[in-house]
Amino acid sequence: MIVEKADAGTENPANHYKNKMNIAIFTNNYIPFSGGVPTSIRTFKKAAEQKGHKVLIFCPSYPGYKDREKNIFRIPSLEIPTYNNYRIPLPFLGKIENKIKNIDIIHVHHPYLLGKKGLKIAKKKNIPIIFTHHTLYEKYLHYIPLAGRIIQNWTKKMIKKFCTRCDLIIAPSEYVEKLLEKRDIKTKIKIIPTGINLDKYKKTQRNIRNKYHLSKNAEILLYAGRITEEKNLFFLLK
């Protein structure tokens, strides 16, 4: 067994890997792009390396950005005008396959572009492949002009086909697990919440009530994330 189920509140996602391995991660977005997936991957990479694993990340290039981390392989990319600072990697230009040597496992974070490239390499080289299903991709179709129900249904079928070809699916929550099971995906699923480095929060001793002059009985609602349509903030406020 490669991955074990996490306990709620786990801080180190690398604990799920039993033996020291060479891990290749494929992601369509990474630092400096700000988002949950890049943060999750970076947290895992640091934790895995502390455990003695070697982690290689294949991700898009961002003009003017230089990596301070090791083993980051940037793939040529194009900017998407409907999504600020989001870039589309061009897997066929990266000569990725030449860099996949002595890899024990491939971990993809999207079912298309670099994720699809990772799956193709995994099958060709007979390497186990894990897919973390981070989000509901059909909720992002508003970034594609004229996207309608046809594309939405195609997206669900595409994701199901991709999941079927993977050896294991990681779901970050019980909700995602049940959704995938409802869609009749037979691949084994494990729930592993994204790890959080609590050190940075322990150093902060801000008192929100004092800062915003709130009474001690006032209810406080906190949202941390991007202000975008797919986050459904109107529902949250309601």
Side-chain angles (χ1 to χ4, degrees):
M1 182 64 66
I2 298 169
V3 177
E4 298 175 318
K5 188 171 182 178
D7 294 326
T10 185
E11 296 181 31
N12 192 339
N15 286 332
H16 307 297
Y17 288 86
K18 287 185 175 182
N19 302 312
K20 294 180 180 179
M21 297 190 297
N22 295 326
I23 306 165
I25 291 179
F26 289 75
T27 174
N28 291 339
N29 47 68
Y30 193 58
I31 309 300
F33 179 76
S34 179
V37 174
T39 301
S40 172
I41 294 173
R42 196 177 196 186
T43 300
F44 169 79
K45 182 176 185 290
K46 290 182 178 180
E49 289 173 342
Q50 289 174 1
K51 292 286 185 179
H53 304 297
K54 182 179 180 180
V55 182
L56 287 67
I57 295 183
F58 296 87
C59 56
S61 60
Y62 293 83
Y65 183 80
K66 294 184 179 180
D67 289 297
R68 296 180 180 178
E69 302 176 66
K70 61 181 180 180
N71 296 325
I72 306 295
F73 299 95
R74 295 289 179 174
I75 309 303
S77 64
L78 295 175
E79 182 179 8
I80 180 170
T82 57
Y83 200 143
N84 186 36
N85 201 34
Y86 191 93
R87 301 189 67 85
I88 298 177
L90 305 174
F92 56 90
L93 294 179
K95 297 182 179 179
I96 300 172
E97 195 165 339
N98 296 336
K99 299 179 176 67
I100 302 296
K101 297 178 181 179
N102 300 319
I103 295 297
D104 297 300
I105 191 167
I106 290 179
H107 188 167
V108 298
H109 290 261
H110 302 88
Y112 53 94
L113 295 175
L114 282 175
K116 193 172 182 179
K117 181 69 173 181
L119 176 64
K120 183 179 180 180
I121 293 174
K123 294 303 179 183
K124 182 178 180 179
K125 294 180 175 289
N126 196 29
I127 301 172
I129 179 167
I130 291 176
F131 168 46
T132 293
H133 194 293
H134 286 280
T135 189
L136 308 182
Y137 294 95
E138 63 271 16
K139 300 296 184 181
Y140 285 73
L141 294 179
H142 56 273
Y143 290 109
I144 305 176
L146 304 178
R149 185 172 294 276
I150 294 177
I151 297 180
Q152 187 178 71
N153 292 335
W154 176 85
T155 300
K156 292 179 180 179
K157 291 180 181 179
M158 179 269 293
I159 294 172
K160 181 178 179 179
K161 182 178 179 180
F162 186 89
C163 290
T164 301
R165 299 191 66 197
C166 293
D167 297 301
L168 180 71
I169 300 172
I170 295 176
S173 66
E174 184 178 350
Y175 177 85
V176 174
E177 178 193 41
K178 291 187 179 300
L179 179 69
L180 295 177
E181 290 176 344
K182 184 178 180 180
R183 293 180 179 177
D184 198 32
I185 292 175
K186 303 301 184 182
T187 305
K188 190 170 184 177
I189 303 171
K190 284 287 186 179
I191 300 176
I192 302 180
T194 297
I196 299 174
N197 181 0
L198 298 177
D199 291 341
K200 62 175 65 178
Y201 302 103
K202 291 177 180 178
K203 298 176 182 178
T204 303
Q205 298 295 332
R206 296 178 182 176
N207 190 316
I208 294 179
R209 295 186 186 277
N210 290 339
K211 182 177 181 179
Y212 295 101
H213 308 291
L214 302 174
S215 70
K216 64 178 182 179
N217 296 322
E219 293 185 354
I220 299 175
L221 306 180
L222 174 65
Y223 166 75
R226 291 179 293 108
I227 302 177
T228 53
E229 182 178 333
E230 65 272 11
K231 297 302 181 181
N232 207 6
L233 295 181
F234 288 108
F235 172 80
L236 180 64
L237 290 171
K238 183 178 178 181

